[in-house]
Amino acid sequence: MERDTRILRRPPVLTWLALLVLLAISAGTSWLQLGWINTAIGLAVATVKVVLVGLVFMRLRVTHPLLRLTALAGLATLALLFILSGTDYATRSEVQAPWQHPSTVAPRLGR
């Protein structure tokens, strides 16, 4: 009986250790100047974290299909929001604000 409880506790502990390693990778790469690769590493690490939490802690692999569908709908909504935000950002034109000399904008104190 004791062996069975150890086996049941093993996946969450190993997942927690994997999440800590992924956290260290995220923190470590934030100190490196890698350009766009920092973003790619960050997104990859975040994706692995989401999959680990969903499969191990939320038990999405063995749960009711309706709960799996709900989780999938949440991910689809998040993807839609990212896509719409990205299209908005990509299609905006940059409008420069009119420049003023700082002395005309600064408040005059004492008068």
Side-chain angles (χ1 to χ4, degrees):
M1 183 74 174
E2 184 179 321
R3 185 174 177 343
D4 294 339
T5 58
R6 276 187 286 154
I7 290 174
L8 288 176
R9 278 188 248 155
R10 188 175 298 160
V13 171
L14 291 177
T15 304
W16 178 69
L17 290 174
L19 288 172
L20 285 178
V21 168
L22 291 169
L23 173 67
I25 291 171
S26 294
T29 56
S30 70
W31 289 93
L32 301 174
Q33 299 293 331
L34 300 175
W36 63 271
I37 297 176
N38 277 352
T39 305
I41 292 173
L43 287 173
V45 166
T47 303
V48 171
K49 286 180 185 179
V50 165
V51 168
L52 283 175
V53 169
L55 291 179
V56 176
F57 294 119
M58 295 174 66
R59 296 185 182 115
L60 287 178
R61 189 184 321 184
V62 294
T63 191
H64 193 270
L66 187 59
L67 187 58
R68 276 187 260 165
L69 184 65
T70 305
L72 187 63
L75 285 175
T77 303
L78 184 65
L80 180 66
L81 289 173
F82 274 123
I83 289 169
L84 290 174
S85 297
T87 3
D88 179 47
Y89 180 75
T91 58
R92 281 187 188 236
S93 60
E94 187 175 328
V95 178
Q96 295 289 330
W99 188 81
Q100 293 179 336
H101 196 274
S103 64
T104 61
V105 180
R108 296 181 185 155
L109 301 176
R111 290 188 185 178

